[in-house]
């Protein structure tokens, strides 16, 4: 079951310690753990946090987690799909009452990307997140301008939070061993959240721009919006951008400037 659900259990104590330390856990915190599995991370979370809510999809691990971890009164176990319950209005309303909400998890690799989208657009106010994810995804999130690793989610995630690498994690640190290495990444959500994340046309702009990464912005925006190339070139120049630049070359501030110019010029 664990392999089918994409779970790989961390057993490296040094990496575990780095996760706990970087989460800066106090008794004021309510910690969400996604995919606790055998409870290797759950126990130290319960020892430090005021409350731990462990969301486990696998019915077997949901039943065996408490005996494996111990009789912690501050541990709540929910047998459900994290992607669904973190969108459930009743569950969200309950979490909104928590004063200091954090996520600390070894994320099942197969849900990493949809989970990140869920968290970025979540109505909840997260204090901090420490996630063990695929190294490939971490590289995308941490990629700077002019890097081929930059994607649509790179821009969204960096508008949403300050992102830092805690440690790379070799695949040998897990059982069963995954096919790829991992990385521990910390997210400090920005407050207030960038208004751009609430702009549907901005999200559409990013999707179009990154839909053909190897094409210039002149070509991809002209095709995506069905506008004349000369008009696109002029707007890019007005935004201080080379018409031959690509989506991966832009920093977050460049996207803000470009979007504002496109909108003020009635391009979108």
């Amino acid at each position: 079951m664990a392999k089918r659900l994409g779970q790989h259990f961390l057993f490296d104590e040094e990496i575990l310690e780095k996760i706990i330390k970087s989460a800066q856990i106090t008794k004021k915190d309510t910690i969400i753990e996604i995919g606790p599995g055998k409870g290797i991370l759950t126990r130290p979370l319960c020892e430090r946090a005021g409350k731990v809510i462990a969301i486990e999809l696998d019915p077997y691990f949901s039943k065996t987690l408490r005996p494996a971890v111990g009789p912690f009164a501050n541990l709540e176990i929910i047998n459900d799909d994290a992607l669904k319950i973190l969108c459930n209005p009743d569950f969200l309303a309950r979490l909104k009452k928590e004063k200091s909400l954090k996520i600390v998890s070894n994320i099942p690799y197969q849900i990493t990307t949809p989970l990140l989208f869920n968290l970025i657009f979540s109505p909840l106010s997260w204090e901090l997140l420490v996630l063990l994810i695929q190294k490939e995804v971490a590289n995308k999130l941490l990629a700077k301008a002019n890097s081929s690793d930059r994607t649509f989610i790179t821009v969204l995630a960096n508008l949403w939070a300050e992102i830092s690498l805690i440690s790379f994690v070799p695949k040998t640190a897990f059982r069963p061993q995954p096919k790829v290495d991992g990385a521990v990444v910390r997210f400090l959500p920005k407050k207030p959240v960038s208004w751009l994340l609430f702009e549907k046309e901005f999200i559409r702009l990013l999707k179009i721009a990154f839909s053909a990464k190897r094409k210039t912005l002149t070509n991809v925006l002209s095709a995506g919006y069905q506008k004349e190339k000369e008009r696109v070139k002029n707007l890019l120049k007005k935004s201080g951008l080379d018409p031959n630049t690509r989506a991966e070359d832009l920093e977050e501030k460049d996207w803000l400037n470009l979007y504002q110019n496109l909108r003020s010029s009635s391009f979108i």
Side-chain angles (χ1 to χ4, degrees):
M1 176 70 79
K3 186 175 181 180
R4 181 177 67 81
L5 295 178
Q7 286 178 282
H8 301 277
F9 305 115
L10 179 70
F11 69 89
D12 188 307
E13 292 292 337
E14 184 178 346
I15 298 299
L16 184 64
E17 185 177 343
K18 288 181 179 180
I19 292 173
I20 295 298
K21 184 177 180 180
S22 61
Q24 302 172 329
I25 302 169
T26 72
K27 290 297 181 181
K28 296 179 181 179
D29 296 332
T30 294
I31 305 291
I32 304 294
E33 184 187 7
I34 298 168
K38 297 180 179 180
I40 297 170
L41 179 58
T42 313
R43 177 185 288 275
L45 291 178
C46 289
E47 290 172 345
R48 293 163 174 79
K51 184 188 300 183
V52 176
I53 301 174
I55 304 172
E56 175 58 61
L57 179 59
D58 190 326
Y60 173 78
F61 287 120
S62 294
K63 293 178 181 178
T64 59
L65 182 60
R66 192 174 296 278
V69 172
F72 286 98
N74 62 342
L75 172 62
E76 177 183 354
I77 302 169
I78 299 177
N79 179 207
D80 208 333
D81 183 340
L83 294 178
K84 293 180 179 179
I85 197 169
L86 287 173
C87 293
N88 181 287
D90 293 335
F91 188 65
L92 292 176
R94 174 189 162 191
L95 291 183
K96 282 183 179 180
K97 298 177 182 178
E98 303 294 341
K99 293 181 179 179
S100 179
L101 195 58
K102 298 179 179 179
I103 297 184
V104 184
S105 301
N106 171 19
I107 301 297
Y109 284 176
Q110 67 184 37
I111 71 166
T112 301
T113 299
L115 177 66
L116 285 172
F117 277 110
N118 181 313
L119 298 176
I120 289 170
F121 295 106
S122 171
L124 297 174
S125 179
W126 303 103
E127 286 296 319
L128 176 150
L129 301 89
V130 178
L131 307 179
L132 203 174
I133 59 178
Q134 303 100 306
K135 182 179 179 181
E136 178 185 4
V137 176
N139 285 338
K140 290 179 180 179
L141 294 172
L142 296 163
K144 303 301 181 183
N146 301 304
S147 168
S148 60
D149 284 333
R150 280 179 75 84
T151 65
F152 170 55
I153 198 170
T154 308
V155 179
L156 291 180
N158 281 275
L159 285 170
W160 169 61
E162 297 291 341
I163 306 173
S164 57
L165 174 68
I166 301 303
S167 177
F168 285 123
V169 183
K171 55 188 176 183
T172 53
F174 301 89
R175 293 289 184 274
Q177 185 172 305
K179 295 180 180 179
V180 297
D181 293 330
V184 179
V185 179
R186 180 169 58 193
F187 302 79
L188 292 174
K190 297 176 181 179
K191 297 179 181 180
V193 174
S194 173
W195 61 274
L196 286 172
L197 295 176
F198 301 98
E199 293 279 317
K200 291 183 179 179
E201 280 300 326
F202 177 71
I203 304 302
R204 184 184 177 214
L205 169 63
L206 289 182
K207 287 182 177 179
I208 290 174
F210 281 99
S211 65
K213 285 182 58 178
R214 301 315 302 162
K215 291 185 178 181
T216 66
L217 281 178
T218 296
N219 288 332
V220 73
L221 295 183
S222 175
Y225 286 102
Q226 297 184 330
K227 305 286 187 180
E228 293 183 359
K229 287 185 179 181
E230 198 59 36
R231 186 181 179 192
V232 176
K233 286 182 179 180
N234 290 334
L235 285 170
L236 288 171
K237 290 178 181 178
K238 182 180 178 181
S239 303
L241 300 171
D242 186 329
N244 292 318
T245 196
R246 296 181 173 87
E248 64 193 34
D249 300 328
L250 274 61
E251 298 179 5
E252 281 67 46
K253 64 180 182 180
D254 296 323
W255 285 111
L256 169 60
N257 190 33
L258 176 59
Y259 176 64
Q260 289 178 323
N261 281 324
L262 293 177
R263 194 170 63 170
S264 64
S265 301
S266 300
F267 183 89
I268 54 178

